[in-house]
Amino acid sequence: QVQLVESGGGLVQAGGSLRLSCAASGSILSINTMGWYRQVPGNQRELVATITSSGITNYADSVKGRFTVSRDNAKNTVYLQMNSLKPEDTAVYYCNYRTFYVRRDNYWGQGTQVTVSS
């Protein structure tokens, strides 16, 4: 089993920044993909950004140029640096851990609220 604990959410003014972190623990495989998804009321959960253990990133078009996903493999931690925040970024952000080799796992954190005021 893998446990994911998010932190760093909060309230920020439009144009401001927040940094989310997610620490994974448990039965972790070294080859994995970690990332962030978000969900707001009335909307489907959507991908924000992912990063593989080799450093390959993927971003939603809506956050490209503003958000940066990174990771510390030694700490099994993924980060999301969010700059130039917009009110439409307001959502619950969920950390995700996935594997495709040896085991096929898919785990989610409990979510952290990000609120951007205009």
Side-chain angles (χ1 to χ4, degrees):
Q1 298 297 110
V2 174
Q3 296 79 45
L4 304 172
V5 180
E6 303 108 327
S7 63
L11 174 65
V12 65
Q13 291 283 141
S17 299
L18 284 174
R19 184 175 177 85
L20 307 182
S21 64
C22 172
S25 62
S27 185
I28 300 168
L29 295 176
S30 59
I31 301 176
N32 61 67
T33 299
M34 297 184 69
W36 298 90
Y37 296 72
R38 67 188 182 187
Q39 189 168 24
V40 300
N43 289 272
Q44 294 182 335
R45 182 183 63 192
E46 65 177 5
L47 179 147
V48 177
T50 61
I51 182 168
T52 70
S53 47
S54 63
I56 300 172
T57 59
N58 184 40
Y59 295 93
D61 288 341
S62 60
V63 307
K64 287 180 179 177
R66 299 188 298 120
F67 292 8
T68 301
V69 64
S70 61
R71 62 187 292 160
D72 185 335
N73 290 342
K75 297 181 179 180
N76 294 315
T77 300
V78 64
Y79 306 92
L80 185 67
Q81 179 65 48
M82 303 184 292
N83 298 326
S84 302
L85 282 161
K86 304 175 181 179
E88 52 262 45
D89 295 319
T90 296
V92 177
Y93 284 70
Y94 296 92
C95 180
N96 176 254
Y97 164 96
R98 298 185 69 187
T99 61
F100 302 93
Y101 306 101
V102 183
R103 294 195 302 265
R104 290 196 289 273
D105 295 339
N106 189 8
Y107 292 93
W108 296 92
Q110 293 184 344
T112 184
Q113 177 71 47
V114 171
T115 302
V116 184
S117 62
S118 61

mmCIF file of all heavy atoms in Angstrom, residues 29-48:
data_model
loop_
_atom_site.group_PDB
_atom_site.id
_atom_site.type_symbol
_atom_site.label_atom_id
_atom_site.label_comp_id
_atom_site.label_asym_id
_atom_site.label_seq_id
_atom_site.Cartn_x
_atom_site.Cartn_y
_atom_site.Cartn_z
ATOM 1 N N LEU A 29 7.475 1.771 -5.563
ATOM 2 C CA LEU A 29 8.374 1.329 -6.617
ATOM 3 C C LEU A 29 9.148 2.519 -7.151
ATOM 4 O O LEU A 29 8.610 3.622 -7.260
ATOM 5 C CB LEU A 29 7.599 0.665 -7.752
ATOM 6 C CG LEU A 29 6.884 -0.632 -7.401
ATOM 7 C CD1 LEU A 29 6.074 -1.124 -8.594
ATOM 8 C CD2 LEU A 29 7.880 -1.692 -6.975
ATOM 9 N N SER A 30 10.405 2.289 -7.488
ATOM 10 C CA SER A 30 11.258 3.381 -7.929
ATOM 11 C C SER A 30 10.825 3.942 -9.282
ATOM 12 O O SER A 30 11.057 5.124 -9.559
ATOM 13 C CB SER A 30 12.714 2.937 -7.992
ATOM 14 O OG SER A 30 12.867 1.840 -8.878
ATOM 15 N N ILE A 31 10.217 3.132 -10.123
ATOM 16 C CA ILE A 31 9.711 3.590 -11.410
ATOM 17 C C ILE A 31 8.229 3.891 -11.251
ATOM 18 O O ILE A 31 7.412 2.983 -11.109
ATOM 19 C CB ILE A 31 9.945 2.551 -12.518
ATOM 20 C CG1 ILE A 31 11.435 2.248 -12.662
ATOM 21 C CG2 ILE A 31 9.362 3.047 -13.840
ATOM 22 C CD1 ILE A 31 11.749 1.163 -13.671
ATOM 23 N N ASN A 32 7.905 5.162 -11.276
ATOM 24 C CA ASN A 32 6.529 5.553 -11.031
ATOM 25 C C ASN A 32 6.259 6.913 -11.650
ATOM 26 O O ASN A 32 7.177 7.597 -12.104
ATOM 27 C CB ASN A 32 6.212 5.583 -9.529
ATOM 28 C CG ASN A 32 7.065 6.574 -8.769
ATOM 29 O OD1 ASN A 32 6.931 7.792 -8.961
ATOM 30 N ND2 ASN A 32 7.928 6.074 -7.894
ATOM 31 N N THR A 33 5.000 7.267 -11.654
ATOM 32 C CA THR A 33 4.572 8.590 -12.067
ATOM 33 C C THR A 33 3.803 9.215 -10.922
ATOM 34 O O THR A 33 2.896 8.593 -10.367
ATOM 35 C CB THR A 33 3.684 8.529 -13.321
ATOM 36 O OG1 THR A 33 4.422 7.950 -14.401
ATOM 37 C CG2 THR A 33 3.215 9.921 -13.723
ATOM 38 N N MET A 34 4.161 10.419 -10.571
ATOM 39 C CA MET A 34 3.444 11.165 -9.555
ATOM 40 C C MET A 34 2.979 12.480 -10.151
ATOM 41 O O MET A 34 3.572 12.982 -11.103
ATOM 42 C CB MET A 34 4.315 11.416 -8.326
ATOM 43 C CG MET A 34 4.752 10.150 -7.615
ATOM 44 S SD MET A 34 5.700 10.462 -6.094
ATOM 45 C CE MET A 34 4.401 11.140 -5.029
ATOM 46 N N GLY A 35 1.923 13.002 -9.589
ATOM 47 C CA GLY A 35 1.436 14.254 -10.123
ATOM 48 C C GLY A 35 0.253 14.787 -9.364
ATOM 49 O O GLY A 35 -0.077 14.321 -8.268
ATOM 50 N N TRP A 36 -0.378 15.778 -9.994
ATOM 51 C CA TRP A 36 -1.460 16.511 -9.368
ATOM 52 C C TRP A 36 -2.660 16.594 -10.282
ATOM 53 O O TRP A 36 -2.527 16.819 -11.496
ATOM 54 C CB TRP A 36 -1.002 17.931 -9.012
ATOM 55 C CG TRP A 36 0.128 17.946 -8.032
ATOM 56 C CD1 TRP A 36 1.461 17.936 -8.304
ATOM 57 C CD2 TRP A 36 0.007 17.961 -6.607
ATOM 58 N NE1 TRP A 36 2.192 17.945 -7.142
ATOM 59 C CE2 TRP A 36 1.325 17.956 -6.085
ATOM 60 C CE3 TRP A 36 -1.070 17.976 -5.730
ATOM 61 C CZ2 TRP A 36 1.578 17.975 -4.717
ATOM 62 C CZ3 TRP A 36 -0.818 17.989 -4.366
ATOM 63 C CH2 TRP A 36 0.494 17.992 -3.880
ATOM 64 N N TYR A 37 -3.811 16.413 -9.701
ATOM 65 C CA TYR A 37 -5.096 16.594 -10.355
ATOM 66 C C TYR A 37 -5.929 17.533 -9.496
ATOM 67 O O TYR A 37 -5.666 17.700 -8.305
ATOM 68 C CB TYR A 37 -5.810 15.256 -10.531
ATOM 69 C CG TYR A 37 -5.094 14.287 -11.452
ATOM 70 C CD1 TYR A 37 -3.916 13.659 -11.060
ATOM 71 C CD2 TYR A 37 -5.605 14.002 -12.713
ATOM 72 C CE1 TYR A 37 -3.257 12.779 -11.898
ATOM 73 C CE2 TYR A 37 -4.957 13.116 -13.556
ATOM 74 C CZ TYR A 37 -3.784 12.509 -13.147
ATOM 75 O OH TYR A 37 -3.143 11.638 -13.978
ATOM 76 N N ARG A 38 -6.937 18.133 -10.094
ATOM 77 C CA ARG A 38 -7.781 19.029 -9.326
ATOM 78 C C ARG A 38 -9.236 18.855 -9.716
ATOM 79 O O ARG A 38 -9.558 18.404 -10.810
ATOM 80 C CB ARG A 38 -7.347 20.486 -9.505
ATOM 81 C CG ARG A 38 -7.547 21.042 -10.905
ATOM 82 C CD ARG A 38 -6.901 22.415 -11.022
ATOM 83 N NE ARG A 38 -7.119 23.003 -12.341
ATOM 84 C CZ ARG A 38 -6.542 24.130 -12.753
ATOM 85 N NH1 ARG A 38 -5.712 24.794 -11.949
ATOM 86 N NH2 ARG A 38 -6.796 24.597 -13.971
ATOM 87 N N GLN A 39 -10.095 19.228 -8.795
ATOM 88 C CA GLN A 39 -11.521 19.088 -9.011
ATOM 89 C C GLN A 39 -12.259 20.212 -8.306
ATOM 90 O O GLN A 39 -11.945 20.552 -7.166
ATOM 91 C CB GLN A 39 -12.020 17.732 -8.505
ATOM 92 C CG GLN A 39 -13.453 17.411 -8.874
ATOM 93 C CD GLN A 39 -13.793 15.960 -8.605
ATOM 94 O OE1 GLN A 39 -13.171 15.308 -7.769
ATOM 95 N NE2 GLN A 39 -14.780 15.444 -9.318
ATOM 96 N N VAL A 40 -13.222 20.783 -9.002
ATOM 97 C CA VAL A 40 -14.087 21.811 -8.437
ATOM 98 C C VAL A 40 -15.518 21.322 -8.529
ATOM 99 O O VAL A 40 -15.841 20.458 -9.349
ATOM 100 C CB VAL A 40 -13.929 23.158 -9.165
ATOM 101 C CG1 VAL A 40 -12.498 23.657 -9.056
ATOM 102 C CG2 VAL A 40 -14.330 23.037 -10.624
ATOM 103 N N PRO A 41 -16.420 21.856 -7.702
ATOM 104 C CA PRO A 41 -17.817 21.440 -7.784
ATOM 105 C C PRO A 41 -18.386 21.635 -9.179
ATOM 106 O O PRO A 41 -18.185 22.678 -9.802
ATOM 107 C CB PRO A 41 -18.502 22.340 -6.757
ATOM 108 C CG PRO A 41 -17.437 22.670 -5.775
ATOM 109 C CD PRO A 41 -16.188 22.802 -6.598
ATOM 110 N N GLY A 42 -19.083 20.621 -9.662
ATOM 111 C CA GLY A 42 -19.698 20.689 -10.977
ATOM 112 C C GLY A 42 -18.766 20.355 -12.124
ATOM 113 O O GLY A 42 -19.189 20.437 -13.286
ATOM 114 N N ASN A 43 -17.536 20.008 -11.837
ATOM 115 C CA ASN A 43 -16.566 19.675 -12.871
ATOM 116 C C ASN A 43 -15.959 18.306 -12.619
ATOM 117 O O ASN A 43 -15.934 17.810 -11.487
ATOM 118 C CB ASN A 43 -15.448 20.713 -12.919
ATOM 119 C CG ASN A 43 -15.888 22.045 -13.464
ATOM 120 O OD1 ASN A 43 -15.852 22.283 -14.659
ATOM 121 N ND2 ASN A 43 -16.323 22.930 -12.565
ATOM 122 N N GLN A 44 -15.464 17.712 -13.691
ATOM 123 C CA GLN A 44 -14.742 16.458 -13.568
ATOM 124 C C GLN A 44 -13.337 16.716 -13.042
ATOM 125 O O GLN A 44 -12.786 17.810 -13.196
ATOM 126 C CB GLN A 44 -14.661 15.747 -14.919
ATOM 127 C CG GLN A 44 -15.988 15.283 -15.478
ATOM 128 C CD GLN A 44 -15.827 14.541 -16.793
ATOM 129 O OE1 GLN A 44 -14.857 14.739 -17.522
ATOM 130 N NE2 GLN A 44 -16.776 13.677 -17.093
ATOM 131 N N ARG A 45 -12.772 15.705 -12.422
ATOM 132 C CA ARG A 45 -11.379 15.785 -12.011
ATOM 133 C C ARG A 45 -10.513 15.920 -13.255
ATOM 134 O O ARG A 45 -10.712 15.204 -14.242
ATOM 135 C CB ARG A 45 -10.998 14.534 -11.224
ATOM 136 C CG ARG A 45 -9.569 14.530 -10.691
ATOM 137 C CD ARG A 45 -9.280 13.217 -9.998
ATOM 138 N NE ARG A 45 -9.370 12.097 -10.933
ATOM 139 C CZ ARG A 45 -9.384 10.815 -10.586
ATOM 140 N NH1 ARG A 45 -9.323 10.474 -9.305
ATOM 141 N NH2 ARG A 45 -9.465 9.869 -11.518
ATOM 142 N N GLU A 46 -9.552 16.810 -13.217
ATOM 143 C CA GLU A 46 -8.712 17.048 -14.375
ATOM 144 C C GLU A 46 -7.239 16.991 -14.004
ATOM 145 O O GLU A 46 -6.841 17.333 -12.897
ATOM 146 C CB GLU A 46 -9.027 18.403 -15.017
ATOM 147 C CG GLU A 46 -8.707 19.595 -14.141
ATOM 148 C CD GLU A 46 -8.953 20.920 -14.842
ATOM 149 O OE1 GLU A 46 -9.466 20.909 -15.979
ATOM 150 O OE2 GLU A 46 -8.632 21.970 -14.247
ATOM 151 N N LEU A 47 -6.464 16.560 -14.959
ATOM 152 C CA LEU A 47 -5.020 16.529 -14.788
ATOM 153 C C LEU A 47 -4.474 17.941 -14.718
ATOM 154 O O LEU A 47 -4.872 18.812 -15.493
ATOM 155 C CB LEU A 47 -4.370 15.765 -15.944
ATOM 156 C CG LEU A 47 -2.845 15.642 -15.934
ATOM 157 C CD1 LEU A 47 -2.424 14.313 -16.536
ATOM 158 C CD2 LEU A 47 -2.203 16.781 -16.722
ATOM 159 N N VAL A 48 -3.565 18.155 -13.791
ATOM 160 C CA VAL A 48 -2.840 19.414 -13.701
ATOM 161 C C VAL A 48 -1.424 19.232 -14.222
ATOM 162 O O VAL A 48 -0.991 19.906 -15.153
ATOM 163 C CB VAL A 48 -2.810 19.961 -12.266
ATOM 164 C CG1 VAL A 48 -1.990 21.244 -12.196
ATOM 165 C CG2 VAL A 48 -4.230 20.203 -11.764
#
